[in-house]
Each structure stands twice: as structure tokens, then as C-alpha cells.
């Protein structure tokens, strides 16, 4: 049986399936090609190096990085709780955690306003008691990005935790290691590839966040205008042409592709 399995030919894909596969690939690739063709390439360098574009890119990178760190701090423990809970509890927690993935971003922005806005559930207490106003600030951008990006990290880390299992943790515990030692020395190293993948996806999602940010943080230049909002502003002709919107879109695509290539390179490194 082993010899037959070793010499067996791999099962081929039915040829008919190549047609919908090609359509799916075209659906993903052709819009990007449309952007590339539409771009006014002589004007692209000036558009992406303009003060407005650089300010938006800098703000996006800063807020996305902060949001990713925040997601890692709360997301890894949350993934651990879900992975180590019983099936029923884990199912409920997983469904609630992934809710932002299926919720329209604009609805997420409204929900954040009703939570942290001046008349919100928490915001009504924060501003009068502590003088803290969150909506339409840079902090609001970070919170909105964290809200939509956190599920990506949690799902990746939970999957890594379930794949790793608990065998090594149990052995370490029987040898006298306390819970923090097991977490630091056993659990984290085992889930590191999943943690890195989830962190990169979380960062990429935070970088491209638009809907919740627009409603909850607004569109103030230098304060809350991230790259997606700058693209929206440019496309609607607020002082610049649509060619600038196309150039900014290409810049954001290049940044996203670079992030994904870095992740692929990191994950391929141990196999070399």
C-alpha cells in the first residue's frame, strides 16, 4: 500500500473547472489592470509624492501599526480563550469575534459612535467626567481600524493554537512549569507562524479600512484622513483630479502587495 501511494500519480483537476477558476482569477486581477491602464503615468510620481499623499500615507502607517499592536495585545489572549474553551462556548465566542467580518463597515462606524460618541453608552461618561473626546480624532482612527482588523488576527492565532494542540503544554506543566512559563516558552513559539500571518493580515486590513473610519473618525487632513479617505476625497474632486485618486490607489496597492510578499518570504524562509 505504501509503495503504491508513493508511486501513484496525483489526481488531476477536471478540465471544466479551469473555466470558473479563470473567471475568478480575472475577477480579482482585471480591476487592478484597469487601474494600471487608467493611470496617467507621467503625473503619478508627482501625485504620490505630494504633501497630501505623504501625509495620508504616514498617518495610515502610524495608525495601522498602533491598531495592529493593540490587536495583538488583546487578540492573542482572546484566541487562546476561544481555542481552550469547550465547543459550545468556543462557537459563541468565535461567532461574536468574527461579527465585524460580515458587518458592513459603515454599520461598524455607527456602532462605535453610539458607544463612544458624545451621547454614546461610554462616551457620555468619558467627556463630562474626564474630558476625553474620542470621535473625529486620530484615536478614533485606531479604534475603527482595530475593530475591523482584530478578527483576522484572532482567527489565524486560534487556528494555530488548535493545530498545535495541548500535548507539549501538558508535558511542560507536569514538569513543573507554571502557566506563564508554558505560555512564553511553549505556546508562543508553537503558534509563531500563525501569529505572524495573522498580524500581517491584521495590519493590511487596518491599512485599507475606510467605512468605519469615515463615520467614526471623519476626514480631517493630517488628523483622520488616511490613504483610503484621501483616495475617496481625490476621486470626488476635492481640490484634485481623479488621476490623483488613481495614483494614490496604485500606491496603496503597492504597499499592500509588499506586505503580503514580506509575509510569504518570511514563511518560506525555514524551508530553504
Amino acid at each position: 500500500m505504501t509503495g503504491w501511494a508513493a508511486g501513484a500519480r496525483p489526481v488531476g483537476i477536471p478540465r471544466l473547472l479551469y473555466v470558473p477558476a479563470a473567471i475568478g482569477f480575472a475577477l480579482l486581477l482585471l480591476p487592478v489592470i484597469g487601474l494600471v491602464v487608467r493611470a496617467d503615468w507621467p503625473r503619478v510620481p508627482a501625485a504620490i509624492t505630494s504633501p497630501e499623499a505623504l501625509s495620508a500615507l504616514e498617518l495610515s502607517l502610524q495608525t495601522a501599526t498602533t491598531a495592529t499592536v493593540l490587536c495583538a495585545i488583546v487578540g492573542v489572549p482572546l484566541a487562546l480563550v476561544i481555542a481552550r474553551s469547550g465547543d459550545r462556548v468556543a462557537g459563541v465566542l468565535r461567532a461574536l469575534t468574527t461579527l465585524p467580518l460580515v458587518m458592513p463597515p459603515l454599520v461598524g462606524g455607527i456602532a462605535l459612535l453610539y458607544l463612544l460618541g458624545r451621547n454614546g453608552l461610554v462616551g457620555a461618561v468619558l467627556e463630562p467626567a474626564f474630558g476625553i473626546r474620542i470621535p473625529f480624532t486620530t484615536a478614533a482612527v485606531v479604534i475603527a481600524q482595530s475593530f475591523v482588523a482584530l478578527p483576522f488576527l484572532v482567527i489565524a492565532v486560534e487556528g494555530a493554537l488548535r493545530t498545535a494542540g495541548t500535548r507539549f503544554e501538558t508535558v511542560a506543566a507536569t514538569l513543573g512549569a507554571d502557566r506563564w512559563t508554558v505560555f512564553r516558552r511553549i505556546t508562543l513559539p508553537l503558534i509563531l507562524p500563525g501569529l505572524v500571518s495573522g498580524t500581517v493580515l491584521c495590519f493590511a486590513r487596518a491599512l485599507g479600512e475606510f467605512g468605519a473610519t469615515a463615520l467614526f473618525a471623519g476626514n480631517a487632513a493630517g488628523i483622520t484622513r488616511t490613504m483610503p479617505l484621501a483616495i475617496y476625497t481625490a476621486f470626488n474632486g476635492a481640490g484634485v483630479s481623479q488621476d490623483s485618486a488613481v495614483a494614490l490607489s496604485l500606491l496603496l496597492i503597492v504597499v499592500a502587495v509588499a506586505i503580503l510578499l514580506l509575509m510569504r518570504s518570511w514563511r518560506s524562509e525555514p524551508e530553504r
Side-chain angles (χ1 to χ4, degrees), residues 156-183:
V157 174
E158 188 210 348
L161 284 165
R162 291 190 177 275
T163 301
T166 59
R167 182 163 58 96
F168 294 106
E169 296 174 345
T170 303
V171 172
T174 58
L175 294 176
D178 58 47
R179 295 181 180 182
W180 275 109
T181 301
V182 172
F183 177 71

Side-chain angles (χ1 to χ4, degrees), residues 1-13 15 18:
M1 180 66 69
T2 304
W4 177 84
R9 296 178 58 185
V11 179
I13 300 174
R15 293 182 179 180
Y18 282 101

Side-chain angles (χ1 to χ4, degrees), residues 194-213:
L195 176 58
V196 172
S197 297
T199 300
V200 172
L201 291 174
C202 177
F203 178 79
R205 179 63 185 89
L207 195 65
E209 160 53 25
F210 170 76
T213 303

Side-chain angles (χ1 to χ4, degrees), residues 14-128:
R15 293 182 179 180
L16 188 60
L17 294 183
Y18 282 101
V19 176
I23 295 173
F25 187 71
L27 181 63
L28 296 173
L29 186 62
L30 288 179
V32 180
I33 294 176
L35 269 179
V36 173
V37 172
R38 174 65 177 78
D40 185 359
W41 287 103
R43 298 182 57 186
V44 165
I48 64 178
T49 56
S50 66
E52 294 82 5
L54 293 178
S55 174
L57 179 60
E58 181 182 3
L59 180 65
S60 291
L61 293 175
Q62 290 175 349
T63 55
T65 300
T66 304
T68 302
V69 172
L70 177 60
C71 288
I73 292 173
V74 302
V76 173
L78 177 56
L80 188 60
V81 169
I82 295 174
R84 298 297 185 255
S85 298
D87 290 341
R88 183 172 300 178
V89 175
V92 173
L93 292 177
R94 191 180 300 112
L96 294 175
T97 301
T98 56
L99 186 60
L101 293 179
V102 297
M103 179 188 297
L106 292 176
V107 176
I110 294 174
L112 290 172
L113 273 177
Y114 276 101
L115 175 67
L116 298 170
R118 178 174 296 180
N119 298 317
L121 188 64
V122 176
V125 177
L126 286 178
E127 189 164 351

Side-chain angles (χ1 to χ4, degrees), residues 64-65 67-69 71-72 149-150 152-154 156-157 192-208 255-267:
T65 300
T68 302
V69 172
C71 288
L150 180 60
F152 289 86
L153 188 141
V154 174
V157 174
L192 186 58
L195 176 58
V196 172
S197 297
T199 300
V200 172
L201 291 174
C202 177
F203 178 79
R205 179 63 185 89
L207 195 65
V255 173
V257 170
I259 292 170
L260 295 176
L261 289 177
L262 283 174
M263 181 179 70
R264 178 184 176 89
S265 175
W266 184 88
R267 297 199 67 177

